[in-house]
Amino acid sequence: ALPPRSCARSPPMVVAAAAAAAAAAPLGGVFGAIRAGSNGGPLVLPRPAPQPSAAAASSLRGAAGRSILLAAPAAAVAAAAAHRGRRRRRCDVTSLAAGGGATATRRAPVRKGKVAPAQPVPDHIVRPPYVAEPELVKGWWNMRIQEKSPEDLEKMRAVGRLARRTLDLAQTLILPGRTTEEMDRELHTFMCDNGAYPSDLLYKGFPKSAMISINEVICHGIPDDRPLEDGDLVNVDVTLYMNGFHADTARTWVCGEGDADGHRLVNATREALESAIATVRAGAPLNRIGNAVATVAEREGYGVVKTLVGHGIGEFFHGVPQVYHCRTSDKRPMLEGTTFTIEPVLCEGAPDWITWDDGWTNATKDGERCAQFEHTLCVTKDGCEILT
């Protein structure tokens, strides 16, 4: 999830007061609508009900030079502020004590550890073009939205299935005391043993095979020698390249037993992704995705990171369309046969973020925790096919 190129030059977003913000009803039937494909294949979602529109907006300059409006109903802003006001124990976590009750403990901010050299990739694994020629991370091929052919989609299904299996492995590796470096090594070996290149490795110089982000780290975390602790929120984001196509997916887990607030944030973020996916179908406006994410976040009192976006994907890693996870004025229609990611990040506190001096790690400015879930999907006539 890379920020639009123009975001660094954009003025701060100013939220306008809502004329009449109605409370949005919780989305219903989302979990029941998700079903597995035949023979354990990709998930397919049916066409959902329309999403509510925003009542107020602030503007952010879009990558194509046109204005995209980011909306925030005043009632929702006030509710989120009140919720955060009830949660003033910054960097505190609550671990559930045996026999009931809770014990508050202090959670130290995540600090950068020692990063080991990258793992070697076997010679027979086909690399994406940007490994040999770094300037090929962008060009005409990722600046236009193209329908995938049936042959393209078969290749994306194959790499998507492997990406899903990679995250299934990641889940088994999340244990207190294990380092993210050890996790990265296991995931790297699994991807290569199954014929895929870890797309993150050497993408714009990224030094590892997976992005593993802990607690207040929003995304792009670099695996290192920091041991995981009970209660850590662990976001594992992997992208695989195989047969000429990429597939990108992420999940967040609670390490060990954790605390009630952490589990609640993770569950709400998963629901936000599922609600957003349920809006996807050919012809629907792209802003339904952000509306769905915002509805869940506002209901639960969480912030949504606005300037880290989903993206087109296929033969290229990142491309158009950019997919916002907040309320916007983006009415571009979703096109049948196109593929992109949806990858919302919800935060316990404010969604403002900073970048560490490694140039990659993005973390919340206030130190509050966050969670992310992501899928790669293909737009269909009546819904979408989840490829990961």
Side-chain angles (χ1 to χ4, degrees), residues 127-369:
R127 277 77 165 159
Y130 55 76
V131 174
E133 301 180 67
E135 66 276 10
L136 294 182
V137 296
K138 63 180 180 179
W140 62 266
W141 51 89
N142 66 347
M143 297 303 292
R144 63 182 184 181
I145 301 175
Q146 283 187 305
E147 179 182 350
K148 302 296 188 295
S149 69
E151 295 76 19
D152 293 341
L153 284 176
E154 278 303 312
K155 293 177 180 178
M156 290 196 70
R157 290 185 184 105
V159 68
R161 286 192 295 268
L162 185 56
R164 183 171 69 236
R165 290 173 55 201
T166 304
L167 285 189
D168 291 342
L169 171 62
Q171 180 176 5
T172 70
L173 301 175
I174 298 173
L175 297 169
R178 177 166 282 153
T179 68
T180 53
E181 166 62 33
E182 292 168 341
M183 291 180 60
D184 181 79
R185 191 159 56 239
E186 292 281 349
L187 297 174
H188 173 94
T189 299
F190 179 82
M191 289 184 271
C192 293
D193 285 352
N194 283 278
Y197 181 88
S199 304
D200 292 329
L201 184 60
L202 300 182
Y203 180 81
K204 296 187 177 181
F206 191 79
K208 306 297 281 186
S209 298
M211 294 179 173
I212 306 179
S213 305
I214 310 298
N215 293 334
E216 72 268 23
V217 176
I218 294 172
C219 61
H220 306 162
I222 300 174
D224 58 26
D225 65 351
R226 176 193 180 275
L228 295 177
E229 301 175 2
D230 184 86
D232 279 345
L233 302 191
V234 184
N235 170 15
V236 181
D237 186 340
V238 297
T239 308
L240 282 64
Y241 180 78
M242 187 172 69
N243 297 326
F245 287 86
H246 298 269
D248 190 359
T249 186
R251 301 177 207 162
T252 300
W253 294 273
V254 178
C255 180
E257 186 173 5
D259 61 279
D261 284 344
H263 285 283
R264 179 171 171 268
L265 174 62
V266 169
N267 290 337
T269 309
R270 183 189 299 109
E271 181 186 353
L273 173 63
E274 293 169 343
S275 297
I277 292 174
T279 70
V280 176
R281 64 171 178 82
L286 276 167
N287 67 353
R288 283 191 179 177
I289 293 171
N291 289 346
V293 172
T295 295
V296 174
E298 290 161 5
R299 185 193 74 209
E300 299 297 329
Y302 293 131
V304 178
V305 176
K306 297 180 174 65
T307 51
L308 295 174
V309 298
H311 53 87
I313 189 170
E315 293 173 288
F316 50 83
F317 190 167
H318 292 95
V320 293
Q322 290 176 339
V323 180
Y324 289 86
H325 304 112
C326 55
R327 300 192 190 278
T328 74
S329 62
D330 189 358
K331 295 295 184 67
R332 290 175 298 166
M334 305 178 206
L335 303 178
E336 185 175 358
T338 60
T339 52
F340 54 78
T341 69
I342 302 177
E343 45 190 294
V345 179
L346 269 55
C347 306
E348 289 181 317
D352 306 308
W353 53 276
I354 59 173
T355 301
W356 289 6
D357 58 9
D358 60 23
W360 279 101
T361 307
N362 295 329
T364 58
K365 186 179 292 186
D366 61 11
E368 294 283 7
R369 296 178 298 181

